[in-house]
Amino acid sequence: MRFVPTMLHGIAYVVGSFVIGLPFFLELNGTPRMVLIALGIIMVLYRLLTDHEIDAVRFLRIRSLLDAIFGVAMLLSPWLFPFPMDTRWPVYAIGVVALILAITTQIRAEGTAAIN
């Protein structure tokens, strides 16, 4: 059931920026810091290219798939990289929310090429 309007997905820019800043707030160093910064930058970049109301280029029509991949990457990164135990919960929370939004956000957006 897809009930979240695509316009709400503009918050992804804020989330990407938050993910970039998260390792500084959690005082992470090394690989965990670089992983979160990279994931945040990748999220902002792919959001600029997706086909929705407030995205810049409107090129990619696979936003839900990319959001799901982002969510899975956020969930797996604390297991694959040496994240301290007390800093894992925000990474897991962002991953879970990203997956839920990938599943529940509407596919078609008003005023985009995706509408036939």
Side-chain angles (χ1 to χ4, degrees), residues 18-19 22-23 26 28 32 35-36 39 70-79 81 83-84 86-98:
F18 179 76
V19 171
L22 188 61
L26 296 176
L28 295 174
V35 167
L36 289 178
L39 286 173
F70 171 79
V72 169
M74 289 295 287
L75 290 172
L76 291 179
S77 61
W79 287 341
F81 303 104
F83 280 73
D86 61 337
T87 63
R88 292 179 176 197
W89 70 268
V91 179
Y92 291 142
I94 293 168
V96 168
V97 170

Side-chain angles (χ1 to χ4, degrees), residues 13-79:
Y13 295 109
V14 175
V15 173
S17 300
F18 179 76
V19 171
I20 292 168
L22 188 61
F24 300 100
F25 177 74
L26 296 176
E27 298 178 357
L28 295 174
N29 293 310
T31 305
R33 176 181 280 196
M34 299 313 295
V35 167
L36 289 178
I37 291 171
L39 286 173
I41 290 171
I42 290 168
M43 180 184 210
V44 170
L45 289 177
Y46 82 70
R47 292 300 303 179
L48 287 171
L49 299 175
T50 56
D51 190 21
H52 287 285
E53 295 96 342
I54 59 174
D55 299 332
V57 180
R58 295 183 174 193
F59 174 70
L60 297 173
R61 294 185 184 176
I62 55 172
R63 181 216 21 92
S64 291
L65 175 62
L66 294 174
D67 287 344
I69 291 169
F70 171 79
V72 169
M74 289 295 287
L75 290 172
L76 291 179
S77 61
W79 287 341

